[in-house]
Amino acid sequence: MAEDQDEQKGREGQQDVEAGDHAKRMGHLLVIGGAEDPDEDDMKILPHFVKMCGGPSARIVVCSSPSENPHDKADTYERLFEKIGVEAVFPAPIESRDEAENPELLEFTRGATGVFFTGGDQLRLTALVAGTGFGEMVRTRLYGDNLVVGGTSAGAAAMSSVMLIGGKSEGTVKREDISLAPGLGYWRDTVVDTHFSQRGRVSRLMTIFAHNPQVLGIGIDENTAIDLVPGDRFTVIGAGVVMVFNGRVSHTNAPDASDDETLAITDTALHTLPDGYGFNLRTKRPMLPGGEEIPRLEH
């Protein structure tokens, strides 16, 4: 009996060690709301990404698949990263799924410290990358080999499990006002919307939240980003705010509402988080700069 108990404790101890090792190997995401660093002489977000990737020793893949002009977009970010100071940049203006199997791309990605997805059209990104050798290597290394993955605008929206691919900024909270598609799934149980305050997109996330109260709705302003450890916590950096829609919805008419009917949602929590503030994804609580959780008010 004692031997069995010792064996059981040994297995549990090994599982704890493996869980700890996995946490140490977990990569980071930098999720950017678009239009980052408008002044090249006073950049904050892209240098933060480079620092996450190793600073002067950073080796970064720039995937510009979302763009209508992927070669130009890749050249732009290659120039910016080299201006900041990195070891190497590999431009990846992928325009076909076959190009996402390029051996040179896969070899560089295997040793890269970061991958950056540009803006454009998130459906182009998922259609060209999801399920390819490149796409699967990024996912595998993010969750088990310390890879840093950044994305701006469309490149950010595609990181969630379900991504917004369209919607009316001037709409109310109606099902017909949004369009959704599967995302890359790097950030699970979350929907990300970008250019958030600038394009008046609150109603889009509220519509999603009405139908899926278990997910976090994340709205990110322009020139603003989230430095994220998936499943753990994130910190906000940049000039704008991040809005987090969360809470136990006590009532919604979404199950019975038609596409053109305005939705009811009650008891939704909204957190508005500027630079330095954060959010604990385990406890679903906002954090002060420095990491202390903000307690709930007891009524």
Side-chain angles (χ1 to χ4, degrees), residues 114-135:
V115 173
F116 189 87
F117 295 109
T118 71
D121 180 348
Q122 50 265 49
L123 271 181
R124 279 183 55 83
L125 176 57
T126 56
L128 290 168
V129 167
T132 64
F134 172 65

Side-chain angles (χ1 to χ4, degrees), residues 209-272:
F209 195 67
H211 290 89
N212 301 277
Q214 83 283 2
V215 305
L216 282 178
I218 305 291
I220 310 176
D221 284 357
E222 293 179 357
N223 197 24
T224 308
I226 286 171
D227 183 337
L228 164 74
V229 179
D232 187 16
R233 62 187 59 206
F234 68 71
T235 303
V236 178
I237 63 171
V241 301
V242 171
M243 294 189 187
V244 181
F245 296 81
N246 178 48
R248 293 184 171 227
V249 173
S250 59
H251 169 78
T252 176
N253 64 346
D256 303 310
S258 60
D259 286 352
D260 61 354
E261 185 175 350
T262 304
L263 300 177
I265 317 167
T266 61
D267 292 323
T268 299
L270 169 61
H271 310 290
T272 302

Side-chain angles (χ1 to χ4, degrees), residues 5 9 15-17 19 33-34 37 74 76 86 102 117 144 150 178-180 184 187 199 202 217 236 262 272 277:
Q5 290 176 343
K9 289 180 181 178
Q15 289 172 354
D16 291 341
V17 170
D37 295 330
T76 296
V86 298
N102 178 351
F117 295 109
I178 62 168
S179 299
L180 302 173
L184 294 171
W187 191 0
R199 300 185 186 179
V202 170
V236 178
T262 304
T272 302
Y277 281 74

Side-chain angles (χ1 to χ4, degrees), residues 102-172:
N102 178 351
E104 288 185 43
L105 169 62
L106 297 181
E107 180 61 28
F108 189 95
T109 305
R110 190 172 289 110
T113 58
V115 173
F116 189 87
F117 295 109
T118 71
D121 180 348
Q122 50 265 49
L123 271 181
R124 279 183 55 83
L125 176 57
T126 56
L128 290 168
V129 167
T132 64
F134 172 65
E136 289 305 299
M137 185 177 293
V138 172
R139 178 196 297 273
T140 299
R141 292 204 55 218
L142 170 65
Y143 279 95
D145 192 22
N146 289 312
L147 184 67
V148 177
V149 181
T152 184
S153 190
M159 290 187 185
S160 51
S161 302
V162 177
M163 63 182 182
L164 272 161
I165 58 172
K168 301 177 181 179
S169 296
E170 72 279 6
T172 56

Side-chain angles (χ1 to χ4, degrees), residues 5-211:
Q5 290 176 343
D6 289 343
E7 184 178 348
Q8 175 66 21
K9 289 180 181 178
R11 284 198 298 268
E12 292 175 352
Q14 180 62 32
Q15 289 172 354
D16 291 341
V17 170
E18 290 174 354
D21 288 345
H22 178 72
K24 292 177 182 177
R25 295 194 303 269
M26 174 69 74
H28 285 232
L29 295 174
L30 189 69
V31 191
I32 308 169
E36 73 282 352
D37 295 330
D39 182 355
E40 286 189 21
D41 294 324
D42 186 27
M43 293 188 289
K44 180 175 183 178
I45 292 177
L46 292 180
H48 184 88
F49 178 72
V50 169
K51 182 178 178 181
M52 292 170 68
C53 296
S57 62
R59 297 173 56 81
I60 298 171
V61 177
V62 174
C63 177
S64 54
S65 295
S67 175
E68 291 183 356
N69 301 295
H71 292 273
D72 291 343
K73 187 70 74 172
D75 289 344
T76 296
Y77 278 96
E78 181 180 16
R79 178 180 60 79
L80 288 172
F81 287 135
E82 289 178 345
K83 179 178 180 178
I84 295 165
V86 298
E87 180 178 318
V89 178
F90 189 101
I94 298 169
E95 296 182 274
S96 70
R97 290 181 65 81
D98 182 62
E99 291 180 14
E101 306 290 349
N102 178 351
E104 288 185 43
L105 169 62
L106 297 181
E107 180 61 28
F108 189 95
T109 305
R110 190 172 289 110
T113 58
V115 173
F116 189 87
F117 295 109
T118 71
D121 180 348
Q122 50 265 49
L123 271 181
R124 279 183 55 83
L125 176 57
T126 56
L128 290 168
V129 167
T132 64
F134 172 65
E136 289 305 299
M137 185 177 293
V138 172
R139 178 196 297 273
T140 299
R141 292 204 55 218
L142 170 65
Y143 279 95
D145 192 22
N146 289 312
L147 184 67
V148 177
V149 181
T152 184
S153 190
M159 290 187 185
S160 51
S161 302
V162 177
M163 63 182 182
L164 272 161
I165 58 172
K168 301 177 181 179
S169 296
E170 72 279 6
T172 56
V173 186
K174 297 179 181 179
R175 186 183 303 168
E176 67 180 5
D177 288 342
I178 62 168
S179 299
L180 302 173
L184 294 171
Y186 298 156
W187 191 0
R188 297 164 185 163
D189 298 322
T190 305
V191 176
V192 174
D193 207 354
T194 56
H195 306 278
F196 199 65
S197 297
Q198 290 76 14
R199 300 185 186 179
R201 290 179 165 178
V202 170
S203 63
R204 302 194 339 167
L205 275 189
M206 292 298 291
T207 303
I208 296 171
F209 195 67
H211 290 89

